[in-house]
Amino acid sequence: MSTLAPANTKQRRPMGKPALWAAAAGVAAGAAGIAAGELTAGLLSPLVSPVTALGGAVIDAVPPGVKDLAVQLFGTADKIVLVACIVAVAGILAALAGLLERRRTGWGLALAGLAGAAGLTAVVTRAQSSPQAALAPIVAAIVTMVLLRTLVRRLATWAPSQEAHGPEQAPLARRSFLNALAGTSLAAVVAGTVTTVLTRATAVASGFRGSMTLPEPATPAQTIPAGASLSLDGISPLVTPNADFYRIDTALTVPAIDPPAWKLKVTGMVEREVEIDFATLLAKPMTERHITIACVSNNVGGDLIGNALWLGWPVRELLAMAGPKVGADMVLSTSNDGWTASTPLEALTDDRDALLAVGMNGEPLPLEHGFPVRMIVPGLYGFVSATKWLTELKVTRFADDTAYWTPRGWSDHGPIKTQSRIDVPRSGRSVQAGKVQFGGVAWAQHRGITRVELRVNRGAWQQATLASAISTDTWYQWQFGIDLTPGDYEVQVRATDSTGEPQTEGKAPVAPDGATGYHTINVKVS
Ligand SMILES: Nc1nc2c(c(=O)[nH]1)N[C@H]1C(S)=C(S)[C@@H](COP(=O)(O)O)O[C@H]1N2
Ligand SMILES: [Mo]
């Protein structure tokens, strides 16, 4: 074929060194892959970027002498130098991957895969890591490999190592490769720019968070009574660590708020509008309380509930400064990202210690839990009370305003329903015959739990041991040992609150205002 079209060879422009193009393909694919990975991290898990994690791992691995030398040489620019080194190494590896892939299909991909594995290891071994952080290096590796493969294949069509294709294909093939190379480079620049904009705000917010100290509470938390925490393997800890705390919100990316720029406004049906900044809020007399918050979407037996030690200024104090007008019955709280919740005014002004929370378990609020300020209201589901990244409280009426979830099929009111859960044994587990220990948690925030009972195979209810409470606003642990002979059993739990009303037996779905029914588990005794 090639002999048939000598004229076409004239149109073939010189391509320079194919090896250089292969290296360029590697660099473009690598840059786009890394940018895609960083973007994924920025969207999902802003605190663990693969590049930063790798840099951290390098810092940890470098002997102290070298570290000191670097600080001596570069001073405070040592971080910039480190980043420059990472970029240089990544660039060289990417170029090498391009060259290798052109030499032999799969070799460059293998190198990209190795780099991805290094990033994955660095990310999952970092302290702040969450399971979703693993996605970023995986995305980076896959994107790099796919682009590298595509680019090198097109390059091979344009500049085949043996003359396998006719020269009449060359101009087309050339355009195809250069277009792909340009597209890949453009994608890398766009993804890189978006990531930089996105993570700069996060870095500022988490930098502030890392260097701030929480004020001492004027009203410290009640001491946890001895015996509130049962020592039963597998039972939910009485206080949920921040890292294990459930997270629910509509935010695609975690809002990053710089506290010095933060303000909370009180508007609407008030005598005078009030505005408070972060420094002023921190200087107020703080209250510390253990409060168990729960999500209305928590299914019976589900884990969208957690108990934390919150530090904050009572919402009622701020509302008192503004002076709600007669006739108001609701506060519409708004988040920085526009999300809203409708909370009965009553719940924010009575003595229940609804808080403008700044602290969670002794730390400033984690970014994903509402940094710098969120609301925490004992007794109400999160969707009508626990606004994160709080920016405005509008005093209004249920008749005049609706919150985010109300037109979407959920209630405008959301008192937490009395519920109980079996944590141990896990449903479906087999256990040894004899005395089988059951244990779990029960909650009826702001009313308190007075009794927890278990029944086996729908027999008589038997009373479990109820641990002492921190307060009625938190969950309670319970435990009960039952003698069981080999066989299959169905075990159910129910709690009774201080009104004397046992939890509802009839099953209700989570919408519109919270699930009901008994948590039911199956155990195999052998
Ligand atoms: N800004 C904002 N705040 C929000 C939400 C939200 O979607 N956006 N979800 C609420 C819901 S439904 C719940 S259950 C709680 C969960 O709080 P957590 O993520 O800290 O556990 O936050 C509430 N605050
Ligand atoms: Mo929720």
Side-chain angles (χ1 to χ4, degrees):
M1 242 180 109
S2 53
T3 50
L4 287 178
N8 274 343
T9 52
K10 274 187 212 143
Q11 288 166 7
R12 199 172 168 181
R13 296 205 218 147
M15 74 176 304
K17 293 203 164 54
L20 273 183
W21 286 117
V27 170
I34 291 170
E38 292 298 300
L39 186 58
T40 306
L43 291 173
L44 292 179
S45 188
L47 298 178
V48 203
S49 100
V51 170
T52 317
L54 262 176
V58 170
I59 294 178
D60 294 350
V62 158
V66 178
K67 242 177 272 186
D68 293 345
L69 187 69
V71 174
Q72 261 177 38
L73 278 176
F74 307 115
T76 48
D78 59 340
K79 294 264 170 0
I80 298 169
V81 172
L82 177 69
V83 171
C85 288
I86 294 175
V87 170
V89 171
I92 292 169
L93 285 178
L96 195 62
L99 292 172
L100 283 174
E101 189 62 24
R102 179 167 176 271
R103 221 358 100 67
R104 194 156 169 174
T105 304
W107 282 28
L109 303 188
L111 185 57
L114 276 178
L120 185 63
T121 312
V123 159
V124 298
T125 52
R126 288 279 103 185
Q128 291 169 313
S129 194
S130 57
Q132 61 194 23
L135 204 60
I138 294 173
V139 165
I142 291 176
V143 170
T144 303
M145 289 183 188
V146 169
L147 290 175
L148 183 62
R149 192 67 218 108
T150 309
L151 287 171
V152 171
R153 187 175 292 153
R154 292 194 186 187
L155 179 63
T157 317
W158 174 27
S161 23
Q162 301 111 27
E163 286 293 320
H165 304 270
E168 74 277 11
Q169 285 183 3
L172 255 187
R174 172 182 174 276
R175 206 172 310 134
S176 156
F177 170 75
L178 290 181
N179 282 347
L181 186 64
T184 301
S185 309
L186 184 68
V189 169
V190 170
T193 310
V194 171
T195 311
T196 310
V197 170
L198 219 129
T199 53
R200 187 168 294 152
T202 304
V204 168
S206 59
F208 190 101
R209 181 181 178 274
S211 59
M212 69 175 274
T213 36
L214 287 175
E216 289 298 321
T219 312
Q222 300 100 318
T223 43
I224 298 181
S229 221
L230 301 173
S231 54
L232 179 64
D233 250 9
I235 200 168
S236 303
L238 189 59
V239 180
T240 317
N242 288 354
D244 302 338
F245 210 94
Y246 82 96
R247 176 188 162 197
I248 294 286
D249 51 63
T250 57
L252 192 59
T253 66
V254 177
I257 299 175
D258 187 22
W262 176 87
K263 275 191 173 53
L264 176 59
K265 285 188 297 191
V266 185
T267 61
M269 298 172 67
V270 289
E271 295 302 334
R272 62 210 83 81
E273 297 207 337
V274 174
E275 208 175 71
I276 186 172
D277 64 21
F278 194 56
T280 312
L281 175 62
L282 286 187
K284 297 290 185 189
M286 293 276 158
T287 295
E288 198 179 37
R289 285 282 174 271
H290 282 101
I291 296 165
T292 300
I293 67 167
C295 184
V296 67
S297 301
N298 195 30
N299 285 302
V300 173
D303 58 5
L304 301 180
I305 176 165
N307 182 38
L309 178 62
W310 306 98
L311 176 76
W313 190 43
V315 186
R316 61 172 179 270
E317 306 284 346
L318 181 63
L319 289 176
M321 283 172 65
K325 286 188 175 158
V326 177
D329 62 3
M330 188 256 268
V331 172
L332 188 77
S333 52
T334 304
S335 156
N336 179 61
D337 68 353
W339 187 87
T340 51
S342 56
T343 312
L345 179 61
E346 168 92 44
L348 301 179
T349 48
D350 65 15
D351 62 0
R352 78 179 67 199
D353 288 332
L355 299 177
L356 299 168
V358 296
M360 181 178 185
N361 289 329
E363 289 175 25
L365 291 178
L367 263 57
E368 60 272 30
H369 292 293
F371 182 80
V373 182
R374 75 176 302 174
M375 272 215 309
I376 291 291
V377 184
L380 302 182
Y381 286 121
F383 81 118
V384 291
S385 68
T387 305
K388 307 191 269 190
W389 314 291
L390 182 67
T391 55
E392 185 181 343
L393 299 174
K394 181 184 179 193
V395 179
T396 177
R397 306 189 310 167
F398 279 103
D400 297 340
D401 274 297
T402 46
Y404 181 87
W405 284 112
T406 312
R408 293 171 168 85
W410 298 81
S411 172
D412 54 0
H413 282 70
I416 297 178
K417 295 176 180 176
T418 305
Q419 263 297 347
S420 49
R421 185 176 79 195
I422 304 171
D423 290 340
V424 266
R426 291 246 163 244
S427 191
R429 278 300 155 74
S430 22
V431 291
Q432 276 211 326
K435 189 150 233 132
V436 178
Q437 288 298 331
F438 291 83
V441 283
W443 59 91
Q445 285 89 322
H446 215 57
R447 299 182 297 281
I449 295 289
T450 52
R451 189 168 47 210
V452 171
E453 298 159 294
L454 257 66
R455 72 176 178 188
V456 178
N457 293 343
R458 316 254 161 165
W461 288 105
Q462 310 177 60
Q463 198 163 334
T465 305
L466 186 61
S468 9
I470 304 178
S471 83
T472 58
D473 293 337
T474 63
W475 61 13
Y476 299 54
Q477 292 187 342
W478 59 265
Q479 184 175 11
F480 193 41
I482 309 177
D483 274 314
L484 293 176
T485 52
D488 290 328
Y489 296 91
E490 179 204 79
V491 181
Q492 292 178 300
V493 65
R494 78 167 179 192
T496 300
D497 71 15
S498 64
T499 67
E501 195 67 36
Q503 73 179 73
T504 309
E505 173 171 16
K507 288 184 193 165
V510 292
D513 61 4
T516 61
Y518 298 150
H519 188 207
T520 304
I521 68 162
N522 297 297
V523 278
K524 190 177 209 60
V525 178
S526 48

